[in-house]
Amino acid sequence: MSSDARDAHLHAALRHAPDAGLEAPAALSARIRAAAHAAVRPAPWWQRWRAEPPWRLGASGAFATFALAGVIGLLWQGEPPPVQAPEPLPAPDAPAPSTPPSADASAVAAEVRAKAAVPAATPTPPVARRERAPAGADRAAPPSPTEPPADPVLPAPPPGAAPAAVAADAPVAKEAAPATPAAAPAPPPLQAMTGAPERARALGLAATPAGAWLADLERTVAGGWRAEPGEPPPLRRLGAVGIAFDGDRVWRCDGEAPRVCRSAPLQAPAAQRLRKALDTLR
Amino acid sequence: MHEPSDDELMRTFAAGDAAAFDRLYARHQGPLYRFVRRLLGTAAVAQADEVFQDTWLKLIDGRARWQPQGAAFRTWLFTLAHHRAVDCLRRGGREVSTTTGDDDPEPWEPTELETGAWQAWPAPEAEDRTFWRAAGRRLLDCLEGLPLPQKTAFLLQHEDGLSVAEIGQALGVGFETAKTRLRYAVAKLRTCMGAYLPGGQPT
């Protein structure tokens, strides 16, 4: 008998087995097909605009932005500028209002720095924690028993790296300008203000252990997110964010109605580290 | 009309044609789903959907890197599913051995008495649906008792039509090891089935 020949009786029995006509459930098939279609379909321009502002879209995005600005400018062309009411003359005995142009610029810069101070404060606790970790610390190393369990241990950054938590959700942000963690917080790069801390603040998780965990997650996933149109596994809530670990993938669902879910692959050591850190947030 | 091969559909999908994936999926989803369900058995049937989905998502994620490389698409697909199923069983805390001690000095062989009832089975082409349906039910029960490597080899050959060489490729073993696992699987299943159906009559 040829080694490739099937056993005729067993083959017949298998053909008549109760599950011989079994197929994947329709909902499961729909989810899989949707994932395949989403994987090969480019996102519409407005979604790409929202996910990546023009300064990240590269040449085509910049061109589209300037083209739009040009069209708007053309619409205004020929119209007189808005008329401004003349400034009232100061009273003779009142000091003249002196607002030199440089003061305006410094006021604006101060406002920017004030806004920037909030996201800069977000990574400070984990940055201070990073400074205690030795350089090249194992990413999967558990927190020391003497440390409070509230904040997850984050790996020590390479020398000269930025506080990656502030810009961890986009690949371009990995090349953000370096900042000195121990120095007074300098204004972060512009793209950092629209990164993970901004979203975290919008979701009510700024400057919290949960926010730091989400920033760690974003850094670990490093842009590997993929849209998930189907039903997610049971979620663990971190504010308005739902998290689930599913095999070798992690799920993140933002918002409630509508809820937008994504998933990304995770190596086993990273998944174990993130799970442990998430458990300490209970 | 030329029916595109699996390789052609996979290449087309990798190039961005989602409809090619739909055809691939329609072609293989049934056999793959049955393979996963039978492989996991009743103990892990709840994870069958997850394993099945993971397999296809792995294929979708790896479409750009896929190369035929001598392995048929079907072999590659079932290999992915086998690996996912083993991972699932291990995550569930089950001891999963991917070897079966096939190199035992005294391999198991059924006795003449145990195989006697087998000889009374009707011919496979006989139109006795009642008998074969009962035999099919019993076979699924007997499959539960097989070690995973033998169960995998049996299902890949008898359900999915893979050759011994392709089975070896899917399981990452040599030709002779695949052949031995098949032989053991068939012998044990015959004994199990023969004992259930003495004299060839369904009970």
Side-chain angles (χ1 to χ4, degrees):
Chain A
M1 182 175 101
S2 159
S3 59
D4 280 340
R6 295 185 276 212
D7 181 286
H9 288 93
L10 294 177
H11 181 59
L14 204 57
R15 274 193 302 114
H16 289 82
D19 63 351
L22 191 64
E23 294 196 341
L28 178 60
S29 293
R31 278 204 301 273
I32 291 168
R33 278 197 292 266
H37 284 237
V40 297
R41 181 177 59 234
W45 69 269
W46 52 271
Q47 272 189 358
R48 283 181 285 135
W49 177 289
R50 196 175 66 181
E52 295 192 39
W55 48 86
R56 290 190 200 155
L57 282 173
S60 58
F63 175 76
T65 305
F66 286 121
L68 187 62
V71 166
I72 292 173
L74 283 173
L75 291 174
W76 280 93
Q77 190 183 32
E79 293 200 2
V83 175
Q84 286 184 334
E87 290 185 7
L89 293 174
D93 56 345
S98 62
T99 54
S102 59
D104 284 336
S106 3
V108 169
E111 186 180 347
V112 168
R113 278 198 292 278
K115 283 184 185 173
V118 176
T122 302
T124 298
V127 165
R129 193 170 292 280
R130 272 194 229 117
E131 288 180 336
R132 289 204 290 275
D138 184 355
R139 286 170 68 88
S144 160
T146 60
E147 292 178 354
D151 292 336
V153 172
L154 296 176
V166 302
D169 66 326
V172 173
K174 284 182 181 174
E175 289 128 19
T180 307
L190 183 58
Q191 57 266 35
M193 298 174 74
T194 57
E198 283 290 328
R199 286 220 301 276
R201 208 170 32 256
L203 296 168
L205 293 173
T208 63
W213 187 91
L214 285 172
D216 184 18
L217 172 68
E218 293 292 336
R219 195 173 47 252
T220 304
V221 167
W225 293 110
R226 179 188 75 206
E228 292 285 355
E231 192 63 27
L235 297 171
R236 161 84 187 274
R237 310 301 303 185
L238 288 178
V241 178
I243 298 291
F245 289 91
D246 182 25
D248 58 357
R249 301 193 73 82
V250 59
W251 285 65
R252 172 177 176 151
C253 296
D254 294 84
E256 284 294 336
R259 183 172 60 184
V260 177
C261 292
R262 301 169 289 160
S263 77
L266 270 188
Q267 298 287 335
Q272 188 182 24
R273 176 178 61 79
L274 287 166
R275 276 183 194 261
K276 266 188 173 175
L278 189 61
D279 288 342
T280 65
L281 295 181
R282 287 179 199 267
Chain B
M1 183 177 163
H2 164 70
E3 185 68 22
S5 67
D6 291 341
D7 288 355
E8 287 170 350
L9 287 173
M10 189 63 190
R11 269 196 295 272
T12 311
F13 172 52
D17 183 356
F21 176 85
D22 290 344
R23 294 181 74 170
L24 261 181
Y25 183 80
R27 198 179 276 182
H28 296 289
Q29 60 88 15
L32 187 72
Y33 191 72
R34 287 191 293 277
F35 173 72
V36 169
R37 284 281 294 252
R38 290 166 176 174
L39 203 59
L40 292 176
T42 53
V45 67
Q47 282 79 42
D49 285 7
E50 174 193 341
V51 169
F52 180 79
Q53 177 176 281
D54 280 352
T55 302
W56 285 105
L57 293 183
K58 194 86 178 170
L59 179 150
I60 293 166
D61 285 345
R63 67 191 184 281
R65 297 184 299 276
W66 179 79
Q67 296 282 343
Q69 289 184 0
F73 170 83
R74 193 180 178 92
T75 305
W76 179 64
L77 180 66
F78 280 76
T79 303
L80 284 182
H82 174 249
H83 290 164
R84 297 278 78 72
V86 169
D87 288 345
C88 174
L89 290 169
R90 282 179 175 152
R91 274 204 316 272
R94 287 180 58 175
E95 282 289 322
V96 177
S97 169
T98 51
T99 61
T100 60
D102 292 333
D103 296 330
D104 285 348
E106 292 186 14
W108 176 88
E109 287 285 355
T111 65
E112 185 60 39
L113 184 64
E114 288 169 320
T115 57
W118 178 261
Q119 309 304 323
W121 280 40
E125 61 276 9
E127 289 298 324
D128 189 343
R129 288 179 180 269
T130 305
F131 172 83
W132 286 114
R133 272 201 291 271
R137 277 196 297 274
R138 178 58 185 171
L139 179 59
L140 294 184
D141 291 340
C142 292
L143 275 170
E144 292 274 333
L146 275 189
L148 185 69
Q150 292 173 8
K151 191 195 311 188
T152 308
F154 174 80
L155 288 173
L156 287 175
Q157 187 188 50
H158 283 71
E159 168 70 25
D160 305 304
L162 269 62
S163 67
V164 176
E166 287 168 330
I167 292 170
Q169 216 166 19
L171 301 182
V173 300
F175 181 91
E176 289 302 321
T177 301
K179 191 168 134 186
T180 303
R181 288 183 185 178
L182 267 173
R183 187 164 59 85
Y184 277 32
V186 168
K188 287 180 185 175
L189 287 172
R190 278 180 161 176
T191 301
C192 180
M193 298 291 287
Y196 174 72
L197 296 165
Q201 296 302 317
T203 59

